[in-house]
Amino acid sequence: MSTFDEALTLEGEDVLLRPFGLRDADAIADAMRAGEDFLPPNVPPPGEALAWWLETGAHQIPRSGRGLHLVVADPRTGELNGTIGLYRPDWPVRAAEAGYGIRPGARGRGLATGALRVLARWALRADGGGLNRIELRAGTGNHASVRVAEKAGFRREGLLRSAGRGPRGLVDQHLFSLIAADLADHDRAGQADRAGQAGRAGRAGRLVGVGVGPGDPELVTAKGVRVLREADVVLVPVMALDEEGRAESVVRAYTGKAERVVFALNDRGGVTARRAAAWDAAAERVVRAFDEGAATVAFATIGDPNVYSTFTYLAQTVRELRPEAEIATVPGITAMQDLASRSGTVLAEGAESLSLLPLTGGVEPFRAALETGDTVVAYKFGAVAGEVIEALKEAGRLEDACYGARLGLPGEQVRPAREVAGPVPYLSTLIVPGRRIARGGRL
Ligand SMILES: C[S@@+](CC[C@H](N)C(=O)[O-])C[C@H]1O[C@@H](n2cnc3c(N)ncnc32)[C@H](O)[C@@H]1O
């Protein structure tokens, strides 16, 4: 490989590295006006040339083989928090120099370390940047930069005298490097460390069920995102290995780590052989991950992991195989909450009760719940949708009921239940709000 990739995007913990684009023009212009010092020396030109620089792609320095400059972006918003680059490439020895800068407002959050780790790991991989050595120079008085280099695993090689320019003239610089062989050492040390951590804590790893909401990637909690990103392994349930799962599409908005495990998600009729085999296989995968050194395995599940989730059975099976494993959950937004919000329906007020009923066993419990006059929510009623509508009519509660299908996913529907006709998809939810006559009438 003799040049760097032009459209490179790399993802790390809480950091996204992406190419520069026109969207960055304002942030860069603001930073230059404010005299911020985070931009590497050769990025970018000031004034009118800035727009040209971005528009023409001149910032894609790889085209000239001189290096690579990427935006250190917020993974959620894509906003520019800093820049990182590899320059002065020496292709015969497969070496380059790394440089980075973080905007003053985004400092102190470990972004530079995270960005440097991700970029260096990519650059030193044969199937990545193909380099063997990355150099890094930090002024002897630039303690923050020295810490970043050390935390990212760079080794100090020596002192370069009068080699850089500081605010008050020429300065000495520490020379650091990271070479491809160091990465193998780091990986081994990291694995031993993680296994050690699990062993020291007296447990065989931690399984976390992470609720990722009904489908809209914006409806995942900040904690859920963090746990998914920090986990050593992220498992997502799918019906078949070649199909993207519902939880998976949400997880992929935040991390590329998703590994598919097959579950008989659409089986009916209790503990089928297929279902049991799937729980066993998934639990064995979790235990194998612990044995290979994973401290945390996250399992993503739609909605909330404690509400009709397959996570319950996985956790039970893992507990049997590895009683000392720690099991935890991160709550997620349920489909009924999402439908309440999207349809403008109040789920419960005053002294009303709120009943959530899965209708896999038929509509009788639903009919009984409608009698109370309080709020009733139905899940899993795909097979009995016609009877559900009939029951609503008989109870005189069809008018207020609202229906939602594939919430947050392509093909979403939210409408009054009276408009429902014909078969409905498995991902359908129904809310029958309590009978309310006056403001605060149920207080
Ligand atoms: C196995 S349960 C999963 C419940 C989920 N853990 C929760 O907390 O909402 C599946 C049922 O949840 C409801 N559901 C889940 N995601 C949905 C979505 N995106 N749109 C509509 N209903 C959904 C449907 O009633 C579906 O039959």
Side-chain angles (χ1 to χ4, degrees):
M1 186 171 182
S2 60
T3 59
F4 295 116
D5 184 353
E6 294 183 18
L8 184 67
T9 299
L10 300 169
E11 192 192 338
E13 263 174 38
D14 280 322
V15 70
L16 174 76
L17 307 186
R18 60 161 177 82
F20 282 84
L22 271 179
R23 63 193 288 202
D24 302 312
D26 286 347
I28 293 174
D30 286 351
M32 295 185 83
R33 269 195 295 275
E36 291 179 13
D37 63 348
F38 75 95
L39 296 162
N42 42 353
V43 182
E48 278 176 19
L50 179 63
W52 166 86
W53 176 80
L54 291 165
E55 200 156 18
T56 58
H59 58 291
Q60 296 287 9
I61 295 169
R63 285 182 191 164
S64 66
R66 275 192 284 129
L68 169 74
H69 289 280
L70 294 170
V71 171
V72 178
D74 182 316
R76 282 160 288 264
T77 61
E79 186 195 347
L80 181 148
N81 279 327
T83 67
I84 188 159
L86 289 169
Y87 33 80
R88 298 198 190 125
D90 182 344
W91 292 112
V93 293
R94 292 190 292 128
E97 187 175 337
Y100 44 81
I102 300 296
R103 295 194 74 175
R107 288 180 190 161
R109 290 166 17 201
L111 291 182
T113 308
L116 183 59
R117 272 201 193 119
V118 174
L119 182 63
R121 291 192 87 81
W122 169 83
L124 294 177
R125 274 200 339 251
D127 60 344
L131 295 179
N132 184 54
R133 172 183 164 88
I134 301 174
E135 281 184 18
L136 201 156
R137 298 164 174 223
T140 48
N142 189 348
H143 304 299
S145 196
V146 168
R147 266 199 309 279
V148 167
E150 284 172 346
K151 283 206 300 211
F154 280 67
R155 275 193 216 172
R156 202 182 295 223
E157 290 187 327
L159 185 74
L160 302 168
R161 293 178 304 152
S162 296
R165 185 163 282 286
R168 284 179 293 280
L170 295 178
V171 294
D172 293 350
Q173 290 180 322
H174 294 297
L175 175 66
F176 289 89
S177 78
L178 187 73
I179 63 171
D182 295 339
L183 284 189
D185 292 346
H186 287 187
D187 287 347
R188 271 194 296 278
Q191 266 195 10
D193 201 32
R194 284 196 292 276
Q197 275 172 14
R200 273 195 299 284
R203 60 185 151 85
R206 187 164 186 260
L207 171 66
V208 190
V210 180
V212 296
D216 177 350
E218 285 191 327
L219 292 185
V220 189
T221 64
K223 183 169 184 174
V225 170
R226 181 180 60 73
V227 169
L228 289 171
R229 290 215 172 107
E230 286 178 2
D232 301 292
V233 174
V234 177
L235 301 180
V236 290
V238 293
M239 301 223 232
L241 282 180
D242 57 355
E243 279 176 29
E244 188 179 67
R246 295 185 287 260
E248 180 183 358
S249 61
V250 180
V251 168
R252 289 210 184 273
Y254 295 101
T255 172
K257 269 186 292 199
E259 178 185 325
R260 295 176 182 176
V261 281
V262 176
F263 274 82
L265 295 168
N266 53 351
D267 265 21
R268 294 187 189 286
V271 185
T272 60
R274 229 163 56 102
R275 245 187 192 144
W279 295 338
D280 289 343
E284 278 155 22
R285 173 67 191 102
V286 172
V287 169
R288 196 169 73 243
F290 291 152
D291 289 342
E292 286 167 359
T296 302
V297 175
F299 178 87
T301 180
I302 55 166
D304 182 276
N306 292 306
V307 179
Y308 302 123
S309 167
T310 193
F311 177 71
T312 303
Y313 312 114
L314 173 65
Q316 220 168 308
T317 318
V318 168
R319 222 177 252 129
E320 282 161 20
L321 293 178
R322 196 54 62 91
E324 65 277 29
E326 185 188 332
I327 311 281
T329 53
V330 176
I333 290 167
T334 60
M336 78 174 163
Q337 289 167 292
D338 194 12
L339 177 57
S341 160
R342 288 176 198 270
S343 63
T345 308
V346 173
L347 270 175
E349 60 176 66
E352 279 173 11
S353 65
L354 167 61
S355 310
L356 173 58
L357 302 174
L359 302 193
T360 27
V363 286
E364 278 323 308
F366 179 67
R367 282 183 197 282
L370 289 179
E371 293 296 310
T372 65
D374 287 340
T375 302
V376 184
V377 176
Y379 270 12
K380 308 187 194 180
F381 58 93
V384 291
E387 290 171 64
V388 165
I389 300 299
E390 276 312 307
L392 284 170
K393 274 188 203 155
E394 283 166 25
R397 299 186 66 180
L398 180 60
E399 271 315 294
D400 299 333
C402 83
Y403 165 81
R406 301 191 53 81
L407 299 164
L409 296 164
E412 175 186 279
Q413 298 174 38
V414 175
R415 45 189 153 99
R418 69 181 121 80
E419 291 177 14
V420 173
V424 302
Y426 169 72
L427 288 185
S428 293
T429 295
L430 182 82
I431 302 177
V432 192
R435 290 185 198 274
R436 293 157 198 157
I437 306 119
R439 184 172 63 174
R442 294 298 308 272
L443 276 170

